Amino acid sequence: MAEAAPRRIAFQGERGAYGDEATGAFFGASVARIPCPTFRDVFEAVARGTVDGGVVPLESALAGPVAEVVDLLLEFTPPIAGELRLRVRHCLLAPPGRTLEGLTRALSHPQALAQCGGWLRKHHLQPVPEANTAVAARRVAQEALEGTAAIASRTAAELYGLTVLAEDIADSPDNATRFLAVGPAVPPHLGSRWKTSVVLTLDNGPGALAGVLTAFAAHGVNVARLESRPGGVRAWDYRWCLDVDGAADSAPVKAALSEARSACTSLRVLGSYALSD
């Protein structure tokens, strides 16, 4: 019997980016990783069915939600198949033979540069923005610019033949990103903990949001994330995005959702999915 073709999973960026790393962590080393220039390209590929699924970052522990991804989730409403928390370990990468003492600047994504700002100042390195961490690593490898390094992952170093001069250089040790798997492909080996993501709209009146939150509290359901996004139709109308702990078909969440609906003008479950251990 012929061996099944590996699943095709889209991510934003290039090989060696943290999205690439998260895709491998979700689906295993044998998955076919499909790089896409933008987050919208990932969602469009999933919607067209040209890939089996996608992997996108939802939230950084240090920088907060990725607003563009949240808005695309609301626009495309793909099934959410799983969540992964990836430890982001920024490394300083340079061509073989270079040393830290000979460097004057570091290339990377602006968010990575900001997360390593204290370390860069301490070592007198000028931050230089690039499109993403993998682009920075590839440019440093290909152009071998004098005095120039990249901030990216160890995976990028291995992929582009660079030397890791320093590891874990982010200013905070708690640097992590929550990634979602979107589309029909469900990652293997997810854990036993579940989460449910909901989007709702409310009448603009006193206590409207409190009524929703009270419904979850009354049934012992923890609201793990709450944020508002523009409604997209009328000015100053908002949609509320909630993540709650537990599966949508569990008794407490099911009862809380039913009660919350009476306090909303609309409520839709975006997905109920397991978290990676």
Side-chain angles (χ1 to χ4, degrees):
M1 182 181 293
E3 198 170 301
R7 288 190 285 188
R8 293 166 51 84
I9 306 296
F11 69 93
Q12 188 275 331
E14 297 194 12
R15 290 301 312 274
Y18 288 107
D20 180 22
E21 206 168 289
T23 301
F26 256 134
F27 290 96
S30 64
V31 70
R33 309 176 197 192
I34 311 300
C36 293
T38 68
F39 291 129
R40 178 170 288 276
D41 291 328
V42 173
F43 281 88
E44 288 180 345
V46 172
R48 289 194 306 266
T50 55
V51 295
D52 300 302
V55 170
V56 291
L58 180 67
E59 184 179 21
S60 163
L62 301 183
V66 183
E68 182 183 357
V69 170
V70 175
D71 290 341
L72 288 166
L73 280 168
L74 298 178
E75 178 182 346
F76 285 88
T77 63
I80 301 174
E83 179 186 306
L84 169 77
R85 297 191 181 194
L86 182 74
R87 168 82 187 279
V88 176
R89 307 184 69 175
H90 291 313
C91 301
L92 188 73
L93 314 180
R98 302 284 176 89
T99 64
L100 179 58
E101 289 71 24
L103 299 177
T104 58
R105 62 182 195 151
L107 278 57
S108 197
H109 186 277
Q111 192 174 94
L113 294 171
Q115 291 170 356
C116 302
W119 194 92
L120 292 174
R121 289 188 294 273
K122 177 182 177 181
H123 292 81
H124 310 292
L125 295 179
Q126 176 192 358
V128 179
E130 270 291 355
N132 61 52
T133 57
V135 167
R138 177 170 53 80
R139 185 180 174 198
V140 166
Q142 292 178 348
E143 299 181 17
L145 300 171
E146 191 64 32
T148 302
I151 294 176
S153 66
R154 179 173 282 277
T155 300
E158 296 167 356
L159 190 62
Y160 296 111
L162 296 171
T163 299
V164 177
L165 297 181
E167 194 165 10
D168 286 335
I169 63 173
D171 298 333
S172 170
D174 297 324
N175 195 10
T177 297
R178 292 173 55 210
F179 284 88
L180 294 181
V182 296
V186 178
H189 314 306
L190 291 172
S192 58
R193 293 179 300 134
W194 280 70
K195 185 176 286 185
T196 298
S197 293
V198 176
V199 59
L200 56 89
T201 57
L202 301 165
D203 284 327
N204 189 17
L209 181 58
V212 173
L213 298 179
T214 298
F216 288 106
H219 294 279
V221 177
N222 179 54
V223 176
R225 182 178 71 96
L226 171 66
E227 67 174 299
S228 64
R229 298 300 304 153
V233 179
R234 295 183 302 177
W236 320 122
D237 278 352
Y238 294 93
R239 292 171 290 182
W240 291 90
C241 302
L242 285 75
D243 288 348
V244 301
D245 292 338
D249 60 359
S250 67
V253 176
K254 194 172 182 178
L257 288 172
S258 178
E259 188 173 324
R261 278 191 173 90
S262 64
C264 304
T265 54
S266 70
L267 185 151
R268 184 171 77 248
V269 175
L270 294 175
S272 191
Y273 47 93
L275 281 59
S276 178
D277 287 333

